[in-house]
Amino acid sequence: STQNTRHKTHHNMDTTIAGKYKFRRKAEQREVALQRIWCRCSKLVEAEIEANDVDIDEHEPLELPWDNLPRGLDPAEGNLDDDRADRKRQQVTSLVQQSLAMAKHIPNARFVEFGAGSGHVGVLIAYLRPDSDVVLVEAKEFNSIVAKERVANIGLSNCRVFNGTLDEFDQTGEEFDISVGLHTCGLLTDATLALSVRRRVMACIVPCCYGQVAAFKEDHDRGQGTAARTQPLSLKMQEALMLQEQQQQQQQQQQQQQQQQ
């Protein structure tokens, strides 16, 4: 298509500059940014998938009768159109299914959801695994209040809220078996993985804010000593991002030279 052709012609562009390349929508800009990242990192992701021994039947996704579940479990409750509601449910159930599969051989498994928000993932895990113990870790007080209300309204005795940062939860010394997170913003993904590695527990994380990674934008303290330009620790990802930054610097130098001429 014409749109795809336009995207291909700008393979060296800085996709973090809104409006510079005449994208009609931010969605187009995000799509190109993801394509560039995938081009650099696809082999790394494919190798990880191949090495993953978690037994999940890809042809049988987790199907839940949302209308028959207790009020408060549905992540799509609110003023969402049908398409957005379906996408939100799919995102949550996909992560929940993977997390449950990873911990299925652990009796009384202990889950911790970092960056939990109002607890879409954690409350569903607690409901589907009544033998488990789930902690929702959320730094924002407002979100924590909403999460506590959801847990109480659903009547979950195996789910609780920790209002604090990842490091503050770590300082409690509480043990757990698997960390989970949906749309963990910026360096929170790296902080969660770092804590999981140090605690020697499993992690099932869906990152967010890829733009912060691709553009090396500054991010506030997320914990575990993570910092901009030192994360991610993956050498392949670092190589891809550093190459992008070098290309941006070269473009800026060329522009400066042209202006001087």
Side-chain angles (χ1 to χ4, degrees), residues 216 229 236-249:
F216 280 103
R229 297 180 179 271
K236 290 293 185 182
M237 179 69 84
Q238 286 183 9
E239 179 183 348
L241 296 177
M242 290 304 296
L243 178 59
Q244 175 178 329
E245 188 177 36
Q246 291 172 3
Q247 291 175 344
Q248 294 175 5
Q249 291 175 351

Side-chain angles (χ1 to χ4, degrees), residues 71-174:
R71 182 174 177 81
L73 277 178
D74 189 351
E77 287 182 358
N79 299 321
L80 296 180
D81 58 49
D82 291 341
D83 288 341
R84 288 189 62 191
D86 287 341
R87 286 198 301 271
K88 198 170 187 67
R89 288 168 178 163
Q90 290 171 6
Q91 291 171 357
V92 171
T93 54
S94 177
L95 177 58
V96 168
Q97 180 181 23
Q98 179 78 8
S99 302
L100 292 176
M102 292 173 67
K104 66 180 180 181
H105 297 302
I106 303 176
N108 307 119
R110 297 163 296 184
F111 295 81
V112 177
E113 181 184 4
F114 292 103
S118 59
H120 292 315
V121 173
V123 294
L124 189 55
I125 290 176
Y127 179 79
L128 296 175
R129 276 282 308 256
D131 69 310
S132 68
D133 181 71
V134 181
V135 181
L136 311 178
V137 177
E138 172 56 41
K140 296 179 181 179
E141 184 177 5
F142 172 78
N143 289 338
S144 297
I145 292 174
V146 175
K148 289 178 181 178
E149 292 176 349
R150 291 185 67 192
V151 171
N153 292 337
I154 298 171
L156 295 171
S157 60
N158 61 332
C159 184
R160 52 199 163 86
V161 179
F162 180 90
N163 179 207
T165 66
L166 180 146
D167 278 351
E168 289 171 341
F169 175 79
D170 181 30
Q171 291 169 4
T172 67
E174 180 170 344

